[in-house]
Amino acid sequence: MRTNIDIDEKLLAKAQKLGNIKTKKLAVEKALELFVRLESQKRLLDLWGKVEIDDEVYQ
């Protein structure tokens, strides 16, 4: 999908340099993947202590 957005060029350049990423598109995709992963982890942490696990199943 083609989208035009205004991105901070210095921030994008820094991300590309730190990640050794060649293209702007790949830098944005990697950032989005990381965001989705982190938000998913937050949801799992919200469940911490609320779910009982039956350890006998895993023995």
Side-chain angles (χ1 to χ4, degrees):
M1 170 175 63
R2 188 172 280 286
T3 303
N4 291 327
I5 54 177
D6 187 22
I7 298 176
D8 182 325
E9 287 291 328
K10 288 181 183 178
L11 184 60
L12 184 57
K14 188 173 183 177
Q16 284 183 266
K17 184 176 181 181
L18 285 170
N20 194 29
I21 301 169
K22 305 255 187 258
T23 67
K24 292 177 182 180
K25 178 185 176 192
L26 186 56
V28 171
E29 287 175 350
K30 285 188 171 279
L32 288 170
E33 288 170 2
L34 178 59
F35 177 79
V36 168
R37 197 172 326 125
L38 289 173
E39 291 301 313
S40 296
Q41 289 174 0
K42 282 182 190 178
R43 289 185 182 186
L44 285 175
L45 285 173
D46 287 343
L47 294 175
W48 190 264
K50 296 177 184 175
V51 177
E52 289 187 37
I53 298 176
D54 185 2
D55 328 7
E56 291 181 20
V57 173
Y58 298 104
Q59 293 179 355

